Amino acid sequence: MKKLMIGLLASSTLLFGCGGGDVCDDLEDGFNALNDKFDACGGGGGEPEKFDKAGCEDALDNCSDSDKDKLSDAAKCLEDLPTPNCNSEEDLEAWLVKLSVCSEKLEDVSPACAAGTGE
């Protein structure tokens, strides 16, 4: 289950490459909050990944206002997630469903914004 959580974190951070200003702050806060929640379950071992705020800010031109709203909504969702009860398989599965709801907020982010390249 821990590997699944780490995989979800890694895949969700692929979309965290765009935004700017307050959006990047929101994403950094959401990313850090998610790392803290993983740490509560023993983390994934090793050093946690860092949010690339400079890369986020550099990609601002690739994201529409709608994209930025979606990114901020996803970040807020991550921050609002409760800390999972890692000792209960049932509670952990319910938490993962909540995490997937946050990931769904990123589904309609434009490909240019998601890639951070404008292509």
Side-chain angles (χ1 to χ4, degrees), residues 18-19 32 38 51 55 67 71:
C18 73
N32 290 336
F38 284 138
F51 179 75
D67 289 333
L71 291 166

Side-chain angles (χ1 to χ4, degrees), residues 85 88-95:
N85 177 357
S88 165
E89 184 85 18
E90 185 177 304
D91 288 346
L92 189 54
E93 286 179 17
W95 185 85

Side-chain angles (χ1 to χ4, degrees), residues 11-26:
S11 65
S12 66
T13 60
L14 292 176
L15 289 175
F16 287 178
C18 73
D22 293 334
V23 175
C24 291
D25 290 338
D26 291 346

Side-chain angles (χ1 to χ4, degrees), residues 25-43:
D25 290 338
D26 291 346
L27 290 171
E28 183 176 39
D29 291 344
F31 185 87
N32 290 336
L34 191 57
N35 271 336
D36 291 345
K37 289 166 180 58
F38 284 138
D39 287 346
C41 289

Side-chain angles (χ1 to χ4, degrees), residues 3-87:
K3 287 184 180 182
L4 175 62
M5 290 171 57
I6 293 166
L8 286 170
L9 172 64
S11 65
S12 66
T13 60
L14 292 176
L15 289 175
F16 287 178
C18 73
D22 293 334
V23 175
C24 291
D25 290 338
D26 291 346
L27 290 171
E28 183 176 39
D29 291 344
F31 185 87
N32 290 336
L34 191 57
N35 271 336
D36 291 345
K37 289 166 180 58
F38 284 138
D39 287 346
C41 289
E47 191 68 25
E49 293 205 25
K50 302 255 187 225
F51 179 75
D52 182 7
K53 189 170 179 179
C56 177
E57 291 169 348
D58 288 344
L60 174 63
D61 292 338
N62 299 317
C63 302
S64 69
D65 287 342
S66 175
D67 289 333
K68 293 174 192 175
D69 289 343
K70 292 171 190 167
L71 291 166
S72 288
D73 288 346
K76 179 73 171 137
C77 184
L78 293 175
E79 275 191 271
D80 291 344
L81 282 174
T83 300
N85 177 357
C86 304
N87 297 318

